[in-house]
CSV table of all heavy atoms in Angstrom, one decimal:
chain,number,residue,atom,x,y,z
Z,1,ALA,N,-0.8,-3.5,11.4
Z,1,ALA,CA,-0.1,-4.4,10.6
Z,1,ALA,C,1.4,-3.9,10.4
Z,1,ALA,O,1.6,-2.8,10.0
Z,1,ALA,CB,-0.7,-4.6,9.3
Z,2,SER,N,2.3,-4.8,10.8
Z,2,SER,CA,3.7,-4.3,10.6
Z,2,SER,C,4.5,-5.4,9.7
Z,2,SER,O,5.7,-5.3,9.6
Z,2,SER,CB,4.4,-4.2,11.9
Z,2,SER,OG,4.3,-5.5,12.6
Z,3,ASP,N,3.8,-6.2,9.0
Z,3,ASP,CA,4.3,-7.1,8.0
Z,3,ASP,C,3.8,-6.7,6.6
Z,3,ASP,O,2.6,-6.5,6.5
Z,3,ASP,CB,4.0,-8.6,8.3
Z,3,ASP,CG,4.5,-9.1,9.6
Z,3,ASP,OD1,5.7,-8.7,9.9
Z,3,ASP,OD2,3.9,-9.9,10.2
Z,4,GLY,N,4.7,-6.6,5.7
Z,4,GLY,CA,4.3,-6.3,4.2
Z,4,GLY,C,4.9,-5.0,3.8
Z,4,GLY,O,6.0,-4.7,4.3
Z,5,ALA,N,4.2,-4.3,2.9
Z,5,ALA,CA,4.8,-3.1,2.4
Z,5,ALA,C,3.6,-2.3,1.7
Z,5,ALA,O,2.6,-2.8,1.4
Z,5,ALA,CB,5.9,-3.3,1.3
Z,6,VAL,N,3.9,-1.0,1.5
Z,6,VAL,CA,3.0,-0.1,0.7
Z,6,VAL,C,3.9,0.5,-0.3
Z,6,VAL,O,5.0,0.9,0.0
Z,6,VAL,CB,2.4,1.0,1.6
Z,6,VAL,CG1,1.7,2.0,0.7
Z,6,VAL,CG2,1.5,0.5,2.6
Z,7,GLU,N,3.5,0.5,-1.6
Z,7,GLU,CA,4.2,1.2,-2.6
Z,7,GLU,C,3.4,2.2,-3.3
Z,7,GLU,O,2.3,1.9,-3.7
Z,7,GLU,CB,4.7,0.1,-3.6
Z,7,GLU,CG,5.6,0.7,-4.7
Z,7,GLU,CD,6.2,-0.3,-5.7
Z,7,GLU,OE1,5.6,-1.4,-5.8
Z,7,GLU,OE2,7.2,0.0,-6.3
Z,8,ILE,N,3.9,3.4,-3.3
Z,8,ILE,CA,3.2,4.5,-4.0
Z,8,ILE,C,3.8,4.5,-5.4
Z,8,ILE,O,5.0,4.7,-5.6
Z,8,ILE,CB,3.5,5.9,-3.3
Z,8,ILE,CG1,3.0,5.8,-1.9
Z,8,ILE,CG2,2.9,7.0,-4.0
Z,8,ILE,CD1,1.5,5.4,-1.7
Z,9,LEU,N,3.0,4.4,-6.4
Z,9,LEU,CA,3.4,4.2,-7.8
Z,9,LEU,C,3.4,5.6,-8.5
Z,9,LEU,O,4.3,5.9,-9.3
Z,9,LEU,CB,2.6,3.2,-8.5
Z,9,LEU,CG,2.6,1.8,-7.9
Z,9,LEU,CD1,1.4,1.0,-8.6
Z,9,LEU,CD2,3.9,1.1,-8.1
Z,10,THR,N,2.3,6.3,-8.3
Z,10,THR,CA,2.2,7.7,-9.0
Z,10,THR,C,1.6,8.7,-8.0
Z,10,THR,O,0.8,8.3,-7.2
Z,10,THR,CB,1.4,7.7,-10.3
Z,10,THR,OG1,0.0,7.3,-9.9
Z,10,THR,CG2,1.9,6.6,-11.3
Z,11,ILE,N,2.1,10.0,-8.2
Z,11,ILE,CA,1.4,11.0,-7.5
Z,11,ILE,C,1.2,12.1,-8.5
Z,11,ILE,O,2.1,12.6,-9.2
Z,11,ILE,CB,2.3,11.6,-6.4
Z,11,ILE,CG1,2.7,10.5,-5.3
Z,11,ILE,CG2,1.7,12.8,-5.7
Z,11,ILE,CD1,3.7,10.9,-4.3
Z,12,THR,N,-0.1,12.6,-8.6
Z,12,THR,CA,-0.5,13.7,-9.4
Z,12,THR,C,-1.1,14.8,-8.5
Z,12,THR,O,-1.2,14.6,-7.3
Z,12,THR,CB,-1.5,13.3,-10.5
Z,12,THR,OG1,-2.7,13.0,-10.0
Z,12,THR,CG2,-0.9,12.2,-11.3
Z,13,ALA,N,-1.5,15.9,-9.0
Z,13,ALA,CA,-2.2,16.9,-8.2
Z,13,ALA,C,-3.6,16.5,-7.7
Z,13,ALA,O,-4.1,16.9,-6.7
Z,13,ALA,CB,-2.4,18.2,-9.1
Z,14,GLU,N,-4.2,15.4,-8.4
Z,14,GLU,CA,-5.5,15.0,-8.0
Z,14,GLU,C,-5.5,13.7,-7.2
Z,14,GLU,O,-6.4,13.5,-6.4
Z,14,GLU,CB,-6.4,14.8,-9.3
Z,14,GLU,CG,-6.7,16.0,-10.0
Z,14,GLU,CD,-5.6,16.3,-11.0
Z,14,GLU,OE1,-4.8,15.4,-11.5
Z,14,GLU,OE2,-5.4,17.5,-11.2
Z,15,GLN,N,-4.6,12.8,-7.4
Z,15,GLN,CA,-4.7,11.5,-6.8
Z,15,GLN,C,-3.2,10.8,-6.7
Z,15,GLN,O,-2.4,11.2,-7.3
Z,15,GLN,CB,-5.6,10.6,-7.6
Z,15,GLN,CG,-5.0,10.3,-9.0
Z,15,GLN,CD,-6.0,9.4,-9.9
Z,15,GLN,OE1,-7.2,9.4,-9.6
Z,15,GLN,NE2,-5.4,8.7,-10.8
Z,16,ILE,N,-3.3,9.7,-6.0
Z,16,ILE,CA,-2.1,8.8,-6.0
Z,16,ILE,C,-2.6,7.4,-6.4
Z,16,ILE,O,-3.8,7.1,-6.1
Z,16,ILE,CB,-1.3,8.7,-4.6
Z,16,ILE,CG1,-2.2,8.1,-3.6
Z,16,ILE,CG2,-0.9,10.1,-4.2
Z,16,ILE,CD1,-1.5,7.7,-2.3
Z,17,THR,N,-1.7,6.6,-6.9
Z,17,THR,CA,-2.0,5.2,-7.1
Z,17,THR,C,-0.9,4.4,-6.4
Z,17,THR,O,0.2,4.9,-6.2
Z,17,THR,CB,-2.0,4.8,-8.6
Z,17,THR,OG1,-0.7,5.0,-9.1
Z,17,THR,CG2,-3.0,5.5,-9.4
Z,18,GLY,N,-1.3,3.3,-5.9
Z,18,GLY,CA,-0.4,2.5,-5.1
Z,18,GLY,C,-0.8,1.1,-5.0
Z,18,GLY,O,-1.9,0.7,-5.5
Z,19,ARG,N,0.0,0.3,-4.3
Z,19,ARG,CA,-0.4,-1.0,-3.9
Z,19,ARG,C,0.0,-1.3,-2.5
Z,19,ARG,O,0.9,-0.7,-1.9
Z,19,ARG,CB,0.1,-2.0,-4.9
Z,19,ARG,CG,1.6,-1.9,-5.1
Z,19,ARG,CD,2.0,-2.8,-6.4
Z,19,ARG,NE,3.5,-2.8,-6.5
Z,19,ARG,CZ,4.1,-3.6,-7.3
Z,19,ARG,NH1,3.4,-4.4,-8.0
Z,19,ARG,NH2,5.4,-3.5,-7.3
Z,20,ILE,N,-0.7,-2.3,-1.9
Z,20,ILE,CA,-0.5,-2.6,-0.5
Z,20,ILE,C,-0.5,-4.1,-0.2
Z,20,ILE,O,-1.2,-4.9,-0.9
Z,20,ILE,CB,-1.7,-1.9,0.4
Z,20,ILE,CG1,-1.4,-2.0,1.9
Z,20,ILE,CG2,-3.0,-2.4,-0.1
Z,20,ILE,CD1,-2.4,-1.2,2.6
Z,21,ASP,N,0.4,-4.4,0.7
Z,21,ASP,CA,0.3,-5.8,1.2
Z,21,ASP,C,0.6,-5.6,2.7
Z,21,ASP,O,1.7,-5.5,3.1
Z,21,ASP,CB,1.4,-6.7,0.6
Z,21,ASP,CG,1.5,-8.1,1.3
Z,21,ASP,OD1,0.6,-8.4,2.1
Z,21,ASP,OD2,2.5,-8.8,1.1
Z,22,ALA,N,-0.5,-5.6,3.5
Z,22,ALA,CA,-0.4,-5.3,5.0
Z,22,ALA,C,-1.0,-6.5,5.7
Z,22,ALA,O,-2.1,-6.9,5.4
Z,22,ALA,CB,-1.1,-4.1,5.3
Z,23,ARG,N,-0.2,-7.1,6.6
Z,23,ARG,CA,-0.7,-8.3,7.4
Z,23,ARG,C,-0.4,-8.2,8.8
Z,23,ARG,O,0.6,-7.7,9.2
Z,23,ARG,CB,0.0,-9.5,6.8
Z,23,ARG,CG,-0.3,-9.8,5.4
Z,23,ARG,CD,0.7,-11.0,4.8
Z,23,ARG,NE,1.8,-10.4,4.1
Z,23,ARG,CZ,3.0,-10.3,4.5
Z,23,ARG,NH1,3.4,-10.7,5.6
Z,23,ARG,NH2,3.9,-9.7,3.7
Z,24,LEU,N,-1.2,-8.9,9.6
Z,24,LEU,CA,-1.0,-9.2,11.0
Z,24,LEU,C,-1.8,-10.5,11.3
Z,24,LEU,O,-3.1,-10.3,11.3
Z,24,LEU,CB,-1.3,-8.1,12.0
Z,24,LEU,CG,-1.0,-8.4,13.4
Z,24,LEU,CD1,0.5,-8.6,13.6
Z,24,LEU,CD2,-1.5,-7.3,14.3
Z,25,ASP,N,-1.2,-11.6,11.6
Z,25,ASP,CA,-1.9,-12.8,11.8
Z,25,ASP,C,-3.0,-13.1,10.7
Z,25,ASP,O,-2.6,-13.2,9.6
Z,25,ASP,CB,-2.6,-12.8,13.2
Z,25,ASP,CG,-1.6,-12.6,14.3
Z,25,ASP,OD1,-0.4,-13.1,14.2
Z,25,ASP,OD2,-1.9,-12.0,15.3
Z,26,ASN,N,-4.2,-13.2,11.1
Z,26,ASN,CA,-5.3,-13.5,10.0
Z,26,ASN,C,-5.9,-12.3,9.4
Z,26,ASN,O,-6.8,-12.5,8.5
Z,26,ASN,CB,-6.4,-14.4,10.7
Z,26,ASN,CG,-5.8,-15.7,11.2
Z,26,ASN,OD1,-5.0,-16.4,10.5
Z,26,ASN,ND2,-6.3,-16.2,12.3
Z,27,ASP,N,-5.4,-11.1,9.8
Z,27,ASP,CA,-6.0,-9.9,9.2
Z,27,ASP,C,-5.0,-9.4,8.1
Z,27,ASP,O,-3.8,-9.4,8.3
Z,27,ASP,CB,-6.2,-8.9,10.3
Z,27,ASP,CG,-7.1,-9.3,11.3
Z,27,ASP,OD1,-8.3,-9.6,11.1
Z,27,ASP,OD2,-6.6,-9.5,12.5
C-alpha cells in the first residue's frame, strides 16, 4: 500500500501507539 499514512503518536520504553490509513485498490 502506497496510499495513505501512518502516524506514530507516542513512544515509550514498552510500546508505541499510532494510527494507520493504508490503501491499495480494494485492500
Side-chain angles (χ1 to χ4, degrees):
S2 57
D3 292 328
V6 173
E7 185 172 22
I8 302 303
L9 302 170
T10 65
I11 301 177
T12 68
E14 296 82 32
Q15 67 182 24
I16 66 165
T17 61
R19 52 192 187 166
I20 185 170
D21 173 13
R23 296 174 259 105
L24 181 67
D25 300 327
N26 294 323
D27 300 296

